[in-house]
Amino acid sequence: MSNQFGKAGEEYTAQWLETQGYIVKARNYRSRYGEIDIIAENHEYIVFVEVKTRRSGAMVSPLEAVTREKQRKILLTAQTYLLKSSSALQPRFDVSAVTVAHGEILGLQYFPNAFGE
């Protein structure tokens, strides 16, 4: 999957979040632990979103692609963000699965609280 499709998936997800009432606070936020694709908030949550862009019919589902190690890095990066930008909102970790085929975005599946036990 090219970086071009990944960026398109992130843009598509950011726009979708805005239609759902979220304000995008940061994109591609980096810490020494890793990167968070999108950080957004609404009246209740600050969400840390991992975007997975996949071709239609991909062998590995987007949720399976977010391994325990990847989750750990996202959690540590989120902690770094929250230390610098304190928030009273409840944190949540979501996954956005964007499907592409023939260079076009087909759709999005959104998994709130994807890291839930």
Side-chain angles (χ1 to χ4, degrees), residues 14-78:
Q15 290 176 7
W16 182 84
L17 283 165
E18 288 172 347
T19 69
Q20 302 301 304
Y22 287 86
I23 298 168
V24 174
K25 304 299 276 185
R27 305 255 315 253
N28 305 113
Y29 178 81
R30 286 179 164 77
S31 78
R32 67 184 197 161
Y33 304 108
E35 179 182 332
I36 295 174
D37 295 324
I38 299 171
I39 300 171
E41 58 185 43
N42 65 8
H43 64 283
E44 189 175 2
Y45 293 103
I46 180 165
V47 295
F48 300 93
V49 184
E50 176 68 10
V51 179
K52 290 296 181 189
T53 305
R54 294 284 183 259
R55 287 190 177 91
S56 180
M59 298 290 285
V60 177
S61 81
L63 285 177
E64 290 174 322
V66 184
T67 63
R68 285 284 179 202
E69 179 60 21
K70 179 69 172 171
Q71 288 180 23
R72 187 182 74 77
K73 289 179 180 181
I74 291 169
L75 288 166
L76 290 169
T77 301

Side-chain angles (χ1 to χ4, degrees), residues 12 14 25 40 45 48 56 77 82 87 92 108 114-115:
Y12 190 82
K25 304 299 276 185
Y45 293 103
F48 300 93
S56 180
T77 301
L82 290 170
S87 173
R92 193 177 75 198
L108 171 144
F115 296 6

